[in-house]
Amino acid sequence: MDLRIFTEPQQGADYETLLTVAKATEDLGFDAFFRSDHYLRMGSADGLPGPTDAWITLAGLARETRRIRLGTLMTAGTFRLPGVLAIQVAQVDQMSGGRVELGLGAGWFEEEHTAYGIPFPKEKFGRLEEQLAIVTGLWGTEVGKTFDFEGTHYQLKDSPALPKPAQEKIPVLIGGHGASRTPRLAARYADEFNMPFSSVEDTAAQFGRVRAAAQEAGRAADALTYSNAVVVCVGKDDREVARRAAAIGREVDELKANGLAGTPAEVVEKIGRYAEVGSTRFYLQMLDLSDLDHLELIAGEVQAQLP
């Protein structure tokens, strides 16, 4: 069972804060450090000192860490042209020595596009499908050959398809709740399917759809890794759980219902319920990035109890 730390810097975190958390992630034995790809805060957070770019951040962390995997949940397909994204991710993979993973989604948060002058197209899913074809196609093109693509939204001609990543294949993550198109896209392009912020029951249903889609596409259902993204709030006792919940502006009962919250024993038990429906990896959404003791507790009292 892999535990990965997942951060939401748009809520208020500079690069130095993210570097501190990433180094703690590595030192405490977690598998990976991931971050969101957003430019505008959500909810009541002030978002200060302002947004950090996902791939610039990961480039810096690639040079400051040695072991942990690095990636996005999810890079917004609306933010970058696919050829540019392929270059960026391949370069960061080289900088990390082959530790990068790309989570790619369609993009959904219209307000951040308006705030920073980023076009927000009506048809996003078709663009996402073409982006996946282009990014993976560029990486997979043999050196010395060129890559062409003629789509509705993007056209590439005689691309040298360079640079190449350090890894033979950068893992691609696709996720979401869509009942038909999302499983089909995951079956075609994904190495991992991620179910974000969902109950055990909804997770089981969506994993089933993805497994069926993979088989229909001629892939073994187990060829994909199945994972969950969940908010985390762990305490040694009920009082500490309540303190951490208050620090992120959430209620304990709601966190227990919708995330991994409670004492280490309670969290281990709930992880086991997700594992029973096929999840083998968790992205733990850490909303208070100043609370490194929280990371230490999870590493020592939760991670240590998992197979």
Side-chain angles (χ1 to χ4, degrees), residues 43-136:
S44 60
D46 59 27
L48 295 174
T52 51
D53 182 84
W55 286 101
I56 291 176
T57 297
L58 294 174
L61 298 180
R63 307 303 294 174
E64 298 282 356
T65 57
R66 293 293 176 265
R67 178 188 59 80
I68 52 173
R69 308 288 294 177
L70 301 166
T72 51
L73 278 183
M74 297 283 186
T75 283
T78 49
F79 287 172
R80 300 166 184 88
L81 296 171
V84 174
L85 180 63
I87 292 169
Q88 291 174 320
V89 178
Q91 183 179 5
V92 178
D93 193 52
Q94 292 173 356
M95 293 168 70
S96 72
R99 294 182 285 123
V100 159
E101 304 185 11
L102 171 63
L104 185 59
W108 61 270
F109 189 19
E110 185 172 4
E111 287 86 347
E112 68 185 335
H113 294 74
T114 302
Y116 286 97
I118 302 167
F120 190 70
K122 182 177 181 180
E123 172 49 56
K124 292 179 287 297
F125 200 91
R127 291 174 182 270
L128 173 61
E129 187 162 10
E130 291 189 12
Q131 288 166 339
L132 286 162
I134 292 166
V135 170
T136 58

Coordinates of all heavy atoms in Angstrom, one line a residue, residues 43-136:
G43 N -12.7 28.5 -1.9 CA -13.3 28.7 -0.5 C -12.9 30.0 0.1 O -12.6 31.0 -0.5
S44 N -12.7 29.9 1.5 CA -12.5 31.1 2.3 C -11.0 31.4 2.5 O -10.6 32.4 3.1 CB -13.1 30.9 3.6 OG -12.6 29.8 4.3
A45 N -10.1 30.5 2.0 CA -8.7 30.8 2.1 C -8.3 32.1 1.4 O -8.8 32.4 0.4 CB -7.9 29.6 1.6
D46 N -7.3 32.8 2.0 CA -6.8 34.0 1.3 C -5.9 33.8 0.2 O -5.6 34.6 -0.7 CB -6.2 35.0 2.3 CG -5.0 34.4 3.0 OD1 -4.3 33.5 2.5 OD2 -4.7 34.9 4.2
G47 N -5.3 32.6 0.1 CA -4.4 32.2 -1.0 C -3.1 32.9 -1.0 O -2.3 32.7 -2.0
L48 N -2.7 33.6 0.1 CA -1.5 34.3 0.1 C -0.3 33.3 0.3 O -0.5 32.3 1.0 CB -1.5 35.3 1.3 CG -2.5 36.5 1.1 CD1 -2.5 37.4 2.3 CD2 -2.2 37.3 -0.2
P49 N 0.8 33.6 -0.3 CA 1.2 34.8 -1.0 C 0.9 34.8 -2.5 O 1.3 35.6 -3.3 CB 2.8 34.8 -0.9 CG 3.1 33.3 -0.9 CD 2.0 32.6 -0.1
G50 N 0.1 33.8 -3.0 CA -0.3 33.7 -4.4 C 0.1 32.4 -5.0 O 0.8 31.6 -4.3
P51 N -0.3 32.1 -6.2 CA -0.1 30.8 -6.7 C 1.3 30.5 -7.1 O 2.1 31.4 -7.4 CB -1.0 30.8 -8.0 CG -1.1 32.2 -8.4 CD -1.0 33.0 -7.1
T52 N 1.6 29.2 -7.1 CA 2.9 28.7 -7.7 C 2.6 27.8 -8.9 O 1.6 27.1 -8.8 CB 3.7 27.9 -6.6 OG1 2.9 26.9 -6.0 CG2 4.2 28.9 -5.5
D53 N 3.4 27.8 -9.9 CA 3.2 26.9 -11.0 C 3.6 25.5 -10.7 O 4.6 25.2 -10.2 CB 3.9 27.5 -12.2 CG 3.7 26.6 -13.5 OD1 2.7 26.9 -14.2 OD2 4.5 25.7 -13.7
A54 N 2.7 24.6 -11.1 CA 2.9 23.2 -10.8 C 4.3 22.6 -11.3 O 5.1 22.0 -10.6 CB 1.8 22.3 -11.3
W55 N 4.5 22.8 -12.6 CA 5.7 22.2 -13.2 C 7.0 23.0 -12.9 O 8.1 22.3 -12.8 CB 5.5 22.0 -14.7 CG 4.5 20.8 -14.8 CD1 3.2 20.9 -15.1 CD2 4.8 19.4 -14.6 NE1 2.6 19.6 -15.1 CE2 3.6 18.7 -14.8 CE3 6.0 18.7 -14.2 CZ2 3.5 17.3 -14.6 CZ3 5.9 17.4 -14.1 CH2 4.7 16.7 -14.2
I56 N 6.9 24.3 -12.6 CA 8.1 25.0 -12.1 C 8.4 24.5 -10.7 O 9.6 24.2 -10.4 CB 7.9 26.5 -12.2 CG1 7.8 27.0 -13.6 CG2 9.0 27.2 -11.4 CD1 7.5 28.4 -13.8
T57 N 7.4 24.3 -9.9 CA 7.6 23.8 -8.6 C 8.3 22.4 -8.6 O 9.3 22.1 -7.9 CB 6.3 23.7 -7.8 OG1 5.7 25.0 -7.6 CG2 6.5 23.0 -6.5
L58 N 7.7 21.5 -9.4 CA 8.2 20.1 -9.5 C 9.7 20.1 -10.1 O 10.5 19.2 -9.7 CB 7.3 19.3 -10.3 CG 5.9 19.1 -9.7 CD1 5.0 18.3 -10.6 CD2 6.0 18.3 -8.3
A59 N 10.0 21.0 -11.0 CA 11.4 21.1 -11.5 C 12.3 21.4 -10.3 O 13.4 20.8 -10.2 CB 11.5 22.2 -12.6
G60 N 11.9 22.4 -9.5 CA 12.8 22.7 -8.3 C 12.9 21.5 -7.4 O 14.0 21.2 -7.0
L61 N 11.8 20.9 -7.1 CA 11.8 19.7 -6.2 C 12.6 18.5 -6.8 O 13.2 17.7 -6.0 CB 10.4 19.3 -5.8 CG 9.6 20.3 -5.1 CD1 8.2 19.8 -4.8 CD2 10.2 20.8 -3.8
A62 N 12.6 18.4 -8.1 CA 13.4 17.4 -8.7 C 14.8 17.4 -8.4 O 15.5 16.4 -8.3 CB 13.2 17.4 -10.3
R63 N 15.4 18.6 -8.2 CA 16.8 18.8 -7.9 C 17.1 18.8 -6.4 O 18.2 18.7 -6.0 CB 17.3 20.2 -8.5 CG 17.0 20.3 -10.0 CD 17.6 19.2 -10.8 NE 19.0 19.3 -10.8 CZ 19.8 18.3 -11.3 NH1 19.3 17.3 -11.9 NH2 21.1 18.4 -11.3
E64 N 16.0 18.9 -5.6 CA 16.2 19.0 -4.2 C 15.8 17.7 -3.4 O 16.0 17.6 -2.2 CB 15.3 20.1 -3.6 CG 15.7 21.5 -4.1 CD 16.9 22.0 -3.4 OE1 17.5 21.4 -2.5 OE2 17.4 23.1 -3.8
T65 N 15.3 16.7 -4.2 CA 15.0 15.4 -3.6 C 15.7 14.3 -4.4 O 16.2 14.5 -5.5 CB 13.5 15.1 -3.6 OG1 13.0 15.2 -5.0 CG2 12.7 16.2 -2.8
R66 N 15.7 13.1 -3.8 CA 16.5 12.0 -4.4 C 15.6 10.7 -4.7 O 16.0 9.9 -5.5 CB 17.7 11.7 -3.6 CG 18.7 12.8 -3.5 CD 19.4 13.0 -4.9 NE 20.3 14.1 -4.9 CZ 20.0 15.3 -5.3 NH1 18.7 15.6 -5.7 NH2 20.9 16.3 -5.3
R67 N 14.6 10.5 -3.9 CA 13.9 9.2 -3.9 C 12.4 9.3 -4.3 O 12.0 8.5 -5.1 CB 14.0 8.5 -2.5 CG 13.3 7.2 -2.5 CD 13.2 6.7 -1.0 NE 12.6 7.6 -0.1 CZ 11.2 7.7 0.0 NH1 10.4 7.0 -0.7 NH2 10.7 8.5 0.9
I68 N 11.7 10.2 -3.8 CA 10.3 10.3 -3.9 C 9.8 10.5 -5.4 O 10.5 11.2 -6.1 CB 9.6 11.3 -3.0 CG1 10.3 12.7 -3.2 CG2 9.6 10.8 -1.6 CD1 9.6 13.8 -2.4
R69 N 8.7 10.0 -5.8 CA 8.1 10.3 -7.0 C 7.5 11.7 -6.9 O 7.1 12.1 -5.8 CB 7.0 9.3 -7.4 CG 7.4 7.8 -7.3 CD 8.3 7.4 -8.4 NE 7.6 7.4 -9.7 CZ 8.3 7.2 -10.9 NH1 9.6 6.9 -10.9 NH2 7.6 7.2 -12.0
L70 N 7.3 12.3 -8.1 CA 6.8 13.7 -8.1 C 5.8 13.8 -9.2 O 6.0 13.3 -10.3 CB 8.0 14.7 -8.4 CG 9.1 14.7 -7.5 CD1 10.3 15.4 -8.0 CD2 8.7 15.4 -6.1
G71 N 4.6 14.5 -9.0 CA 3.6 14.6 -10.0 C 2.5 15.5 -9.7 O 2.5 16.2 -8.6
T72 N 1.5 15.5 -10.5 CA 0.3 16.4 -10.4 C -1.0 15.6 -10.4 O -1.2 14.6 -11.0 CB 0.2 17.3 -11.7 OG1 0.3 16.5 -12.9 CG2 1.3 18.3 -11.6
L73 N -1.9 16.1 -9.6 CA -3.3 15.6 -9.5 C -4.1 16.9 -9.6 O -4.3 17.6 -8.6 CB -3.6 14.9 -8.2 CG -3.3 13.5 -8.0 CD1 -3.8 13.0 -6.7 CD2 -3.8 12.6 -9.1
M74 N -4.6 17.3 -10.7 CA -4.3 16.9 -12.0 C -3.8 18.1 -12.7 O -4.3 19.2 -12.5 CB -5.4 16.3 -12.8 CG -6.0 15.0 -12.2 SD -4.9 13.6 -12.6 CE -5.9 12.2 -12.0
T75 N -2.9 18.0 -13.7 CA -2.5 19.1 -14.6 C -3.8 19.4 -15.4 O -4.4 18.5 -16.0 CB -1.4 18.7 -15.5 OG1 -0.2 18.9 -14.7 CG2 -1.3 19.7 -16.7
A76 N -4.1 20.7 -15.5 CA -5.3 21.1 -16.3 C -5.0 21.1 -17.8 O -4.0 21.8 -18.2 CB -5.8 22.4 -15.8
G77 N -5.7 20.4 -18.6 CA -5.5 20.4 -20.0 C -5.7 21.8 -20.6 O -5.2 22.0 -21.8
T78 N -6.4 22.7 -20.0 CA -6.6 24.0 -20.5 C -5.4 24.9 -20.3 O -5.4 26.0 -21.0 CB -7.8 24.6 -19.8 OG1 -7.6 24.5 -18.4 CG2 -9.1 24.0 -20.2
F79 N -4.4 24.6 -19.5 CA -3.4 25.5 -19.2 C -2.2 25.5 -20.2 O -1.5 26.5 -20.3 CB -2.8 25.1 -17.8 CG -3.7 25.5 -16.6 CD1 -3.3 25.1 -15.3 CD2 -4.8 26.2 -16.8 CE1 -4.1 25.4 -14.3 CE2 -5.6 26.6 -15.7 CZ -5.3 26.2 -14.4
R80 N -1.9 24.3 -20.8 CA -0.7 24.2 -21.6 C -1.0 23.5 -22.9 O -1.8 22.6 -22.9 CB 0.4 23.5 -20.8 CG 0.7 24.2 -19.5 CD 1.6 23.2 -18.7 NE 1.8 23.8 -17.4 CZ 1.0 23.8 -16.3 NH1 -0.1 23.1 -16.4 NH2 1.3 24.4 -15.2
L81 N -0.4 24.0 -24.0 CA -0.5 23.2 -25.2 C 0.2 21.9 -25.1 O 1.2 21.8 -24.4 CB 0.1 24.0 -26.4 CG -0.5 25.4 -26.7 CD1 0.4 26.2 -27.7 CD2 -1.9 25.2 -27.3
P82 N -0.4 20.8 -25.7 CA 0.1 19.5 -25.4 C 1.6 19.3 -25.8 O 2.3 18.6 -25.1 CB -0.8 18.6 -26.2 CG -1.4 19.5 -27.2 CD -1.5 20.8 -26.6
G83 N 2.1 19.9 -26.9 CA 3.5 19.8 -27.3 C 4.4 20.4 -26.2 O 5.4 19.9 -25.9
V84 N 4.0 21.6 -25.7 CA 4.7 22.3 -24.7 C 4.7 21.5 -23.4 O 5.8 21.3 -22.7 CB 4.1 23.7 -24.4 CG1 4.8 24.4 -23.2 CG2 4.3 24.6 -25.7
L85 N 3.6 20.9 -23.0 CA 3.5 20.1 -21.8 C 4.4 18.9 -21.9 O 5.1 18.5 -21.0 CB 2.0 19.6 -21.6 CG 1.8 18.8 -20.4 CD1 2.1 19.5 -19.1 CD2 0.3 18.3 -20.4
A86 N 4.4 18.2 -23.1 CA 5.3 17.1 -23.3 C 6.8 17.4 -23.1 O 7.5 16.7 -22.4 CB 5.1 16.5 -24.7
I87 N 7.2 18.6 -23.6 CA 8.5 19.1 -23.4 C 8.8 19.3 -21.9 O 9.8 18.9 -21.3 CB 8.8 20.3 -24.2 CG1 8.8 20.0 -25.7 CG2 10.1 21.0 -23.8 CD1 8.8 21.2 -26.6
Q88 N 7.9 20.0 -21.2 CA 8.1 20.4 -19.8 C 8.2 19.1 -18.9 O 9.1 19.0 -18.1 CB 6.9 21.2 -19.3 CG 6.8 22.6 -19.9 CD 5.6 23.4 -19.5 OE1 4.5 22.8 -19.5 NE2 5.7 24.7 -19.2
V89 N 7.3 18.2 -19.1 CA 7.3 17.0 -18.2 C 8.5 16.2 -18.5 O 9.1 15.6 -17.6 CB 6.0 16.2 -18.4 CG1 6.0 15.0 -17.6 CG2 4.8 17.1 -18.1
A90 N 8.9 16.0 -19.8 CA 10.1 15.2 -20.1 C 11.3 15.9 -19.5 O 12.2 15.1 -19.0 CB 10.2 15.1 -21.6
Q91 N 11.4 17.2 -19.5 CA 12.6 17.8 -18.9 C 12.6 17.7 -17.4 O 13.7 17.4 -16.9 CB 12.6 19.3 -19.3 CG 13.8 20.1 -18.8 CD 13.8 21.5 -19.1 OE1 12.9 22.1 -19.7 NE2 14.9 22.2 -18.8
V92 N 11.5 17.8 -16.8 CA 11.5 17.6 -15.3 C 11.8 16.2 -15.0 O 12.5 15.9 -14.0 CB 10.1 18.1 -14.7 CG1 10.1 17.8 -13.2 CG2 9.9 19.5 -15.0
D93 N 11.3 15.2 -15.8 CA 11.7 13.8 -15.6 C 13.2 13.6 -15.7 O 13.8 12.9 -14.8 CB 11.0 12.9 -16.6 CG 11.0 11.5 -16.2 OD1 10.7 11.2 -15.1 OD2 11.5 10.6 -17.0
Q94 N 13.8 14.3 -16.7 CA 15.3 14.2 -16.7 C 15.9 14.8 -15.5 O 16.9 14.3 -15.0 CB 15.8 14.9 -18.0 CG 15.4 14.3 -19.3 CD 15.8 15.1 -20.5 OE1 16.3 16.3 -20.3 NE2 15.5 14.6 -21.7
M95 N 15.4 16.0 -15.1 CA 16.0 16.6 -13.9 C 15.9 15.8 -12.6 O 16.7 15.9 -11.7 CB 15.3 18.0 -13.7 CG 15.6 19.0 -14.8 SD 14.5 20.4 -14.8 CE 15.1 21.2 -13.3
S96 N 14.9 15.0 -12.6 CA 14.6 14.1 -11.4 C 15.3 12.8 -11.4 O 15.3 12.0 -10.5 CB 13.1 13.9 -11.2 OG 12.6 13.0 -12.2
G97 N 15.9 12.4 -12.6 CA 16.4 11.1 -12.8 C 15.4 10.1 -13.0 O 15.6 8.9 -12.7
G98 N 14.2 10.5 -13.5 CA 13.2 9.5 -13.8 C 12.2 9.2 -12.7 O 11.8 8.1 -12.5
R99 N 11.7 10.3 -12.1 CA 10.8 10.1 -11.0 C 9.4 10.8 -11.1 O 8.7 10.9 -10.2 CB 11.4 10.6 -9.6 CG 12.6 9.7 -9.2 CD 13.2 10.2 -7.9 NE 14.0 11.4 -8.1 CZ 13.8 12.6 -7.4 NH1 12.7 12.6 -6.5 NH2 14.5 13.6 -7.6
V100 N 9.1 11.2 -12.4 CA 8.0 12.1 -12.6 C 6.8 11.2 -13.1 O 6.9 10.2 -13.7 CB 8.3 13.1 -13.6 CG1 7.0 13.7 -14.3 CG2 9.1 14.3 -13.0
E101 N 5.6 11.6 -12.7 CA 4.3 11.1 -13.1 C 3.4 12.2 -13.5 O 3.4 13.3 -12.9 CB 3.7 10.2 -12.1 CG 4.6 9.1 -11.6 CD 4.0 8.1 -10.6 OE1 2.8 8.1 -10.4 OE2 4.8 7.3 -10.0
L102 N 2.6 12.0 -14.6 CA 1.7 13.1 -15.1 C 0.3 12.7 -14.9 O -0.2 11.7 -15.5 CB 2.0 13.3 -16.6 CG 1.0 14.2 -17.3 CD1 1.0 15.6 -16.7 CD2 1.2 14.2 -18.8
G103 N -0.4 13.4 -14.0 CA -1.8 13.4 -13.9 C -2.4 14.4 -14.8 O -2.0 15.6 -14.7
L104 N -3.3 14.1 -15.7 CA -3.8 15.0 -16.7 C -5.3 15.0 -16.7 O -5.9 13.9 -16.9 CB -3.2 14.7 -18.1 CG -3.6 15.7 -19.2 CD1 -3.1 17.1 -18.9 CD2 -3.0 15.3 -20.5
G105 N -5.9 16.1 -16.6 CA -7.4 16.2 -16.6 C -7.8 17.3 -17.5 O -7.0 18.1 -18.1
A106 N -9.1 17.4 -17.7 CA -9.7 18.3 -18.7 C -9.6 19.8 -18.2 O -9.6 20.7 -19.1 CB -11.1 17.9 -19.0
G107 N -9.6 20.0 -16.9 CA -9.7 21.4 -16.4 C -11.2 21.7 -16.1 O -12.0 21.3 -16.9
W108 N -11.5 22.4 -15.0 CA -12.9 22.6 -14.6 C -13.1 23.9 -14.0 O -14.3 24.4 -13.9 CB -13.3 21.4 -13.7 CG -12.5 21.4 -12.4 CD1 -11.3 20.7 -12.2 CD2 -12.8 22.1 -11.2 NE1 -10.9 21.0 -10.9 CE2 -11.8 21.8 -10.3 CE3 -13.8 23.0 -10.8 CZ2 -11.7 22.4 -9.0 CZ3 -13.8 23.6 -9.5 CH2 -12.7 23.2 -8.6
F109 N -12.1 24.6 -13.4 CA -12.3 25.7 -12.5 C -12.3 27.0 -13.4 O -11.3 27.6 -13.6 CB -11.3 25.7 -11.4 CG -11.5 26.7 -10.3 CD1 -12.7 27.3 -10.1 CD2 -10.4 27.1 -9.5 CE1 -12.9 28.2 -9.0 CE2 -10.5 28.0 -8.5 CZ -11.8 28.6 -8.3
E110 N -13.5 27.4 -13.8 CA -13.6 28.5 -14.8 C -13.1 29.8 -14.2 O -12.5 30.6 -14.9 CB -15.1 28.6 -15.2 CG -15.3 29.7 -16.3 CD -16.7 29.7 -16.9 OE1 -17.5 29.0 -16.4 OE2 -16.9 30.5 -17.8
E111 N -13.3 30.0 -12.9 CA -12.9 31.3 -12.3 C -11.5 31.6 -12.4 O -11.0 32.7 -12.6 CB -13.4 31.3 -10.8 CG -14.9 31.5 -10.6 CD -15.6 30.2 -10.6 OE1 -15.0 29.1 -11.0 OE2 -16.8 30.2 -10.3
E112 N -10.6 30.5 -12.2 CA -9.2 30.8 -12.3 C -8.8 31.1 -13.7 O -7.8 31.9 -14.0 CB -8.4 29.6 -11.8 CG -8.4 28.3 -12.6 CD -7.7 27.1 -12.0 OE1 -6.8 27.4 -11.1 OE2 -8.1 26.0 -12.3
H113 N -9.5 30.6 -14.7 CA -9.2 30.9 -16.1 C -9.5 32.4 -16.3 O -8.8 33.2 -16.9 CB -10.0 30.1 -17.0 CG -9.6 28.6 -17.0 ND1 -9.9 27.8 -16.0 CD2 -8.9 27.9 -17.9 CE1 -9.4 26.6 -16.2 NE2 -8.8 26.6 -17.4
T114 N -10.7 32.8 -15.8 CA -11.1 34.2 -16.0 C -10.1 35.2 -15.3 O -9.7 36.2 -15.8 CB -12.5 34.4 -15.4 OG1 -13.4 33.6 -16.1 CG2 -12.9 35.9 -15.5
A115 N -9.6 34.7 -14.1 CA -8.7 35.6 -13.3 C -7.4 35.8 -14.0 O -6.8 36.9 -13.8 CB -8.6 35.0 -11.9
Y116 N -6.9 34.8 -14.7 CA -5.6 34.9 -15.3 C -5.6 34.9 -16.8 O -4.6 34.8 -17.5 CB -4.7 33.8 -14.8 CG -4.3 34.1 -13.3 CD1 -5.0 33.6 -12.3 CD2 -3.2 35.0 -13.1 CE1 -4.6 33.8 -10.9 CE2 -2.9 35.3 -11.8 CZ -3.5 34.7 -10.7 OH -3.2 35.0 -9.4
G117 N -6.8 35.2 -17.4 CA -6.8 35.4 -18.9 C -6.5 34.1 -19.7 O -6.0 34.2 -20.8
I118 N -6.9 32.9 -19.1 CA -6.7 31.7 -19.8 C -8.0 31.2 -20.5 O -9.0 31.2 -19.8 CB -6.3 30.6 -18.7 CG1 -5.0 31.0 -18.0 CG2 -6.1 29.2 -19.4 CD1 -4.7 30.2 -16.8
P119 N -8.0 30.9 -21.7 CA -9.2 30.5 -22.4 C -9.8 29.3 -21.7 O -9.1 28.4 -21.3 CB -8.7 30.2 -23.8 CG -7.5 31.0 -24.0 CD -6.8 31.0 -22.7
F120 N -11.1 29.3 -21.7 CA -11.9 28.2 -21.0 C -12.8 27.6 -22.1 O -14.0 28.0 -22.1 CB -12.6 28.7 -19.8 CG -13.2 27.6 -19.0 CD1 -12.4 26.7 -18.2 CD2 -14.6 27.4 -18.9 CE1 -12.9 25.7 -17.5 CE2 -15.1 26.4 -18.1 CZ -14.3 25.5 -17.4
P121 N -12.4 26.7 -22.9 CA -13.2 26.2 -24.0 C -14.4 25.4 -23.5 O -14.4 24.8 -22.5 CB -12.2 25.4 -24.8 CG -11.2 24.9 -23.8 CD -11.1 26.1 -22.9
K122 N -15.5 25.5 -24.3 CA -16.7 24.8 -24.0 C -16.4 23.3 -24.1 O -16.8 22.5 -23.2 CB -17.8 25.2 -24.9 CG -19.1 24.5 -24.6 CD -20.2 25.0 -25.4 CE -21.6 24.3 -25.1 NZ -22.7 24.8 -26.0
E123 N -15.8 22.8 -25.1 CA -15.5 21.4 -25.4 C -14.1 21.1 -24.8 O -13.1 21.4 -25.4 CB -15.5 21.1 -26.9 CG -15.1 19.7 -27.2 CD -15.7 18.6 -26.4 OE1 -16.9 18.5 -26.3 OE2 -14.9 17.8 -25.7
K124 N -14.1 20.5 -23.6 CA -12.8 20.2 -23.0 C -12.4 18.7 -23.1 O -11.2 18.4 -23.1 CB -12.8 20.7 -21.5 CG -12.9 22.2 -21.4 CD -13.0 22.6 -19.9 CE -14.3 22.3 -19.3 NZ -15.4 23.1 -19.9
F125 N -13.4 17.8 -23.0 CA -13.1 16.4 -23.0 C -12.4 16.0 -24.3 O -11.4 15.2 -24.3 CB -14.3 15.6 -22.7 CG -14.0 14.2 -22.2 CD1 -13.8 14.0 -20.9 CD2 -13.8 13.1 -23.1 CE1 -13.5 12.7 -20.4 CE2 -13.5 11.9 -22.6 CZ -13.3 11.7 -21.3
G126 N -12.9 16.5 -25.4 CA -12.3 16.1 -26.7 C -10.9 16.6 -26.8 O -10.0 16.0 -27.4
R127 N -10.6 17.8 -26.3 CA -9.3 18.4 -26.2 C -8.4 17.5 -25.4 O -7.2 17.2 -25.7 CB -9.3 19.8 -25.7 CG -9.9 20.8 -26.6 CD -10.0 22.2 -25.9 NE -10.7 23.1 -26.8 CZ -10.0 23.9 -27.7 NH1 -8.7 23.8 -27.8 NH2 -10.7 24.8 -28.4
L128 N -8.9 17.0 -24.2 CA -8.1 16.2 -23.3 C -7.7 14.9 -24.0 O -6.5 14.4 -23.9 CB -8.9 15.8 -22.1 CG -8.3 14.8 -21.1 CD1 -6.9 15.3 -20.6 CD2 -9.2 14.5 -20.0
E129 N -8.6 14.3 -24.8 CA -8.3 13.1 -25.5 C -7.2 13.3 -26.5 O -6.3 12.5 -26.6 CB -9.6 12.5 -26.2 CG -9.4 11.1 -26.8 CD -10.7 10.4 -27.0 OE1 -11.7 11.0 -26.9 OE2 -10.6 9.2 -27.4
E130 N -7.3 14.4 -27.2 CA -6.2 14.7 -28.2 C -4.9 15.0 -27.5 O -3.8 14.6 -27.9 CB -6.6 15.9 -29.1 CG -7.7 15.5 -30.0 CD -8.0 16.6 -31.1 OE1 -7.2 17.5 -31.2 OE2 -9.0 16.5 -31.8
Q131 N -4.9 15.7 -26.3 CA -3.7 16.0 -25.6 C -3.0 14.7 -25.1 O -1.8 14.6 -25.2 CB -4.1 16.9 -24.4 CG -4.4 18.3 -24.8 CD -5.1 19.0 -23.6 OE1 -5.6 18.4 -22.7 NE2 -5.0 20.3 -23.7
L132 N -3.8 13.7 -24.7 CA -3.2 12.5 -24.2 C -2.6 11.7 -25.4 O -1.5 11.2 -25.3 CB -4.3 11.6 -23.6 CG -4.8 12.0 -22.2 CD1 -6.1 11.4 -21.8 CD2 -3.7 11.6 -21.2
A133 N -3.2 11.8 -26.5 CA -2.7 11.1 -27.7 C -1.4 11.8 -28.1 O -0.4 11.1 -28.5 CB -3.7 11.2 -28.9
I134 N -1.3 13.1 -28.0 CA -0.1 13.9 -28.5 C 1.0 13.7 -27.5 O 2.2 13.4 -27.9 CB -0.5 15.4 -28.6 CG1 -1.4 15.5 -29.8 CG2 0.8 16.2 -28.8 CD1 -2.0 16.9 -29.9
V135 N 0.8 13.9 -26.2 CA 1.8 13.8 -25.2 C 2.4 12.4 -25.2 O 3.7 12.2 -25.3 CB 1.3 14.1 -23.8 CG1 2.3 13.8 -22.7 CG2 0.9 15.6 -23.7
T136 N 1.6 11.3 -25.2 CA 2.1 10.0 -25.2 C 2.8 9.6 -26.5 O 3.7 8.9 -26.6 CB 1.0 9.0 -24.8 OG1 -0.1 9.1 -25.7 CG2 0.5 9.2 -23.4

